[in-house]
Each structure stands twice: as structure tokens, then as C-alpha cells.
Amino acid sequence: MNDSDFLARRFEEHRAHLKAVAYRMLGSLAEADDAVQEAWLRLDRAETGDIDNLGGWLTTVVGRVCLDLLRSRRQRREDPLDDRLPDPVVTEEVADPEHRVLLADSVSLALLVVLESLNPAERLAFVLHDLFGLPFEEIAPILDRTPVAARKLASRARQRVQGAAPAPDPDPAAHRRVVDAFLSAARGGDLTALLAVLDPEVTLRADGGKALVGGMKVLHGAAAVAGQLDTFHRMATLTTTRPALVNGTAGLVTTVEGRLFSIVGFTVADERIVEIDILSDPDRLSRVHVDLAVKSARARR
């Protein structure tokens, strides 16, 4: 094995971790892949003999790449929070190793939505420290700040996350029971049963894409969400609906004639649904990780 092959092999050992970092930073699977690829290109050009901790070096590089992407996105005013949902990650109930790393620590869609509201420096400090345990002494140079300033950024971000991102129930079986009850109520057009599983302060986000519906629509409160019962009923009865893990928790995938129609993620707390996130943008759906779900749906037709 030559030096290039050896370096590539060592890089692959870190790929899943690097993608997990980039996904939390960017909320986009395609951009996360791009950030990881850029890290490889920089490694391939670097004097590797000077790198003592390859994993830490690569994490730092990915952090810098993601920070640049977030700043560029803001400067161009692309993808504002009210325009799109973060990319969901869809897996079978037993996820493959890469997805297990990607979804470790319950990176819910609800959390990603809140992270989208942070400024780039806050997001990097919070993600690298609170989610991946990097010390502020290593985060500070990425931000061109002091460790004390990086700590303050993470603290400010933490306060916003804790106040806005609901903590999901830790029991996957209980989460699945609530989602199944939602699906049963939708299929039966049962308003009473639907209200029984909705938290009074539930939030629904539906991203159908700019081309179809002008971006993401947001509803707040059980009455407003339950008012969509006819839509839920059509989705549940006119599509093939199957359970799947959406960002590591119980969700639903719907298909029509074997073609992906929507991905629905749920956040459940205290046995009530507190957030529903629906992605039905055809363009976005064509680019997210749903191969297993679609293949399974086709196989059962």
C-alpha cells in the first residue's frame, strides 16, 4: 500500500464522524458531503507529517469549511429558516453504521430547525463543543476568537436551543405508539383521536417547495394542526404509508406508485406530539437519503 492509499484509508476511518459534524452544522446532506470532500482535498495537499491528531485536524477543517458555507449562505440570503426544512435522514428501524453515527445523540429535525436560527459563529461553537465535545481552545482559532469568546458564543446558542427545541421522549417504543395513533386517527378521519395525541402547543412545518407552494408553511396550536385533518386523511389513505426512522425517531414515509411522496418527522414529549415536520418538495425528496424506504415500499406493491 502506497502513502496515498494509506492516507485515503485513514481518512475513510473518519468520514462518518466528519459527515455528522457537517450535517449538524449545515442541515444539508449534499453540502455536508461537499464539506467532507473538501476536507479530503485539503488533507491530500497537506504536509501530513506535521499532523499529530488526524481526527482533530479533520474536524477543525470541516468546521472551517462549514463556517464559510454558512457565512456565504447568509450573505446571499439563501435558504432562510422560513423557506425550508433541514434535510431529513431516513432509515429503516435498524440503521446502517454510517447513519447510526450521523444520527447519534438524537439530532432531531426540531433541533436542526433551531440551529438554523443561530448565527454561523454561534452554531459552530455549539455544535463542536456541546455535540462533539471539542474544547474551546480548539474551537477559538476556527472562529478567530479567544476561548473565552467562543465559550460565550456556545452559551448564548445553548440558551436558545434549550428554550426552543423540545426534548423528545427517550423511549422509542412509546414514540412509535404515539405516531401510530396519529396515523390511525388520520386514516379514520377521527378528529377526537387526533386531538388526543397533539400537544396543545404543537407546531407543524410543511415544506412543499417554492415551486409548488411558495416554501414552508408553519402552523401553531392543536386547533390549527387538527384543522388539517382532511389533508392528513388524504395522505394516509391515498398513499402507501410505512414506518421509518426520521432523524433517529419514529416517523413516516409515504409513496405513490412506488415514488416518494413525503417524509414526516415527529417530536413526541410526554406522550404527545409537539412537532410535526413534513417534507413533500419533489426536488428535495429526490436528493435525500431514502433509498431503503423507497425500495421497501416498491417491493410490497
Side-chain angles (χ1 to χ4, degrees):
M1 181 181 298
N2 60 37
D3 290 345
S4 179
D5 290 339
F6 177 71
L7 187 63
R9 183 172 178 176
R10 292 192 64 198
F11 178 82
E12 288 302 320
E13 293 172 357
H14 298 279
R15 179 181 290 276
H17 167 76
L18 297 175
K19 185 171 180 180
V21 172
Y23 176 55
R24 285 159 176 76
M25 282 290 299
L26 301 169
S28 164
L29 291 165
E31 286 187 336
D33 284 332
D34 290 343
V36 173
Q37 181 62 20
E38 177 61 24
W40 160 248
L41 294 175
R42 295 189 187 188
L43 177 63
D44 194 41
R45 296 192 298 263
E47 294 292 337
T48 56
D50 298 331
I51 300 174
D52 295 326
N53 178 354
L54 181 60
W57 188 90
L58 287 169
T59 300
T60 298
V61 169
V62 165
R64 287 197 177 101
V65 172
C66 291
L67 185 63
D68 289 343
L69 286 170
L70 288 174
R71 286 170 171 167
S72 176
R73 184 190 294 175
R74 283 210 160 200
Q75 289 170 357
R76 296 193 304 267
R77 298 187 180 276
E78 290 181 356
D79 298 324
L81 177 64
D82 60 355
D83 251 6
R84 66 185 292 276
L85 280 173
D87 288 347
V89 178
V90 182
T91 62
E92 300 292 344
E93 298 289 344
V94 179
D96 62 67
E98 179 178 340
H99 281 153
R100 281 200 297 269
V101 174
L102 193 61
L103 297 173
D105 302 321
S106 298
V107 55
S108 66
L109 286 176
L111 174 59
L112 288 172
V113 167
V114 177
L115 293 181
E116 291 279 351
S117 70
L118 304 177
N119 70 46
E122 290 172 342
R123 187 165 184 169
L124 182 135
F126 176 81
V127 167
L128 292 186
H129 180 267
D130 285 43
L131 302 187
F132 291 97
L134 256 65
F136 290 114
E137 289 74 16
E138 295 181 24
I139 296 171
I142 304 174
L143 295 168
D144 196 23
R145 309 280 182 96
T146 65
V148 171
R151 184 186 297 274
K152 288 181 179 178
L153 287 168
S155 176
R156 193 156 64 230
R158 192 178 306 119
Q159 291 175 358
R160 295 181 64 178
V161 169
Q162 292 174 345
D169 284 340
D171 183 1
H175 198 155
R176 174 56 65 190
R177 285 195 297 272
V178 174
V179 173
D180 288 347
F182 170 90
L183 181 58
S184 177
R187 282 175 170 158
D190 190 333
L191 180 61
T192 300
L194 179 61
L195 286 169
V197 298
L198 296 178
D199 184 87
E201 304 300 321
V202 63
T203 295
L204 180 146
R205 304 181 192 88
D207 184 352
K210 294 181 180 179
L212 296 181
V213 296
M216 186 162 68
K217 306 300 182 184
V218 182
L219 298 175
H220 298 287
V225 174
Q228 303 300 304
L229 179 58
D230 287 345
T231 299
F232 297 150
H233 179 66
R234 289 195 299 271
M235 287 179 60
T237 56
L238 300 179
T239 67
T240 299
T241 304
R242 64 183 301 274
L245 292 178
V246 178
N247 284 60
T249 58
L252 300 171
V253 170
T254 68
T255 57
V256 175
E257 296 182 349
R259 181 169 298 181
L260 189 62
F261 181 77
S262 70
I263 298 169
V264 189
F266 297 85
T267 303
V268 176
D270 297 325
E271 299 186 356
R272 294 286 184 92
I273 296 170
V274 295
E275 296 203 5
I276 305 173
D277 295 294
I278 304 173
L279 179 63
S280 57
D281 177 356
D283 182 56
R284 298 272 311 282
L285 289 174
S286 69
R287 293 182 277 115
V288 297
H289 291 260
V290 292
D291 292 345
L292 293 174
V294 173
K295 288 177 181 177
S296 296
R298 285 175 176 166
R300 292 206 313 273
R301 287 194 324 176

